[in-house]
Structure formats: C-alpha cells, structure tokens
Amino acid sequence: MAGTDMRAPSAYPSECARATAPGESRFRIDVPIRPARNARVIGLDERATAIAQRVAHRSWAKATFYTCQAASDAGTGDARIVLHRLDGRPVLLGEVLTGTDVVVVLATEDAGRQWAAAIGRLCGADGITTAGIVLGEDFEADDAVAALRPYARVLLLSADESDVTELLTALRV
C-alpha cells in the first residue's frame, strides 16, 4: 500500500544514538589536534616549479616551496645540493630539510630524476616522510617515479593539478 511505513518499530537505538551515549565516551579522542606540519614542497622541473608557484600563493601554515631548476651540487653528499627558493635565493638541501616533517616532491618529467633520488635518500636517512606527485597525462616522468618509489610513502600519479593542493591540505601543512 503506497504511503504506508512498513518498518516495524525498533527496540534498539540507532548507531548514531549509541555513539553519543555516555558509555561510548571512553572511546572519544580528547587530545588536541596536532599543529600544522613543517613541510617543504620541491618542484623538480620547470612545469613542476610553475605548479609549485601557483600553489604557493595559497595560504599555508608551515609550507615552504623550492625548485630544483638550476640546482647544483656544492660538494660531496646529498645535503650539499643547492636548491632555490621560489624567489631565486639558493639554499642547501641539508638546510631545507632541517626541522622538516614532510617533503612533497612535484614532477612532470624525468629532468629532475637525480634530484628526486637525492631528496629521497636524504629524507629516508633522516626519517622524514616523503610524498611524490607526478603530474601529466602520459606520465613522461617514469625515471622520476622510479627514483621516488623507494622513498615516497605516498606516490600519486595524476593529471589534475588540484591534487597538489588537496594532498597538502590533507597533510595539514
């Protein structure tokens, strides 16, 4: 019969009602949410740097952006690799990673594979969480993906640039 409620009344409360019951309060998490993570975002190639520049204009709590364009090796060891801030100021990779909680590496092609491997090695040795985002349609960055794969806890292959913002937001940077 149309318009008639065929459900029988329940003697048990719903899941939502039980979740708010006083006995369930022992399962609630009462600690405050951790503050924002100290993040570094590094563009490996020209297009990745352009994406980093666009994303950097948003409001971030503790994210700092760098590029590997014109990166150079200032000595022995991965920590001596010279990156550049988006304003062009040079900085050593070892200094960039000091006090860092998470590093997000952006790539659109294979040009930065040597820097990806160096960043991954140094982050792995220092216990810094590493995430890689490879942007493109046909994934022209197979070597960069291969370089990041051993070190990146998150490796996202995407054609959507907004995934960079979404990942950084999810990481609470």
Side-chain angles (χ1 to χ4, degrees), residues 5 11 22 59 86 97 103 106 111 114 121 137 142 145 167 169:
D5 187 7
S59 178
L86 294 183
L97 298 182
V103 172
L106 307 177
Q114 75 187 65
R121 280 191 304 269
E137 297 271 333
D142 293 338
V145 170
L167 179 67
T169 301

Side-chain angles (χ1 to χ4, degrees), residues 68-84 90-94 114-115 118 121-122:
C68 286
Q69 284 191 288
S72 59
D73 195 345
T76 30
D78 295 333
R80 303 287 303 162
I81 293 171
V82 179
L83 303 180
H84 292 86
V91 60
L92 293 174
L93 178 58
Q114 75 187 65
W115 310 125
R121 280 191 304 269
L122 204 52

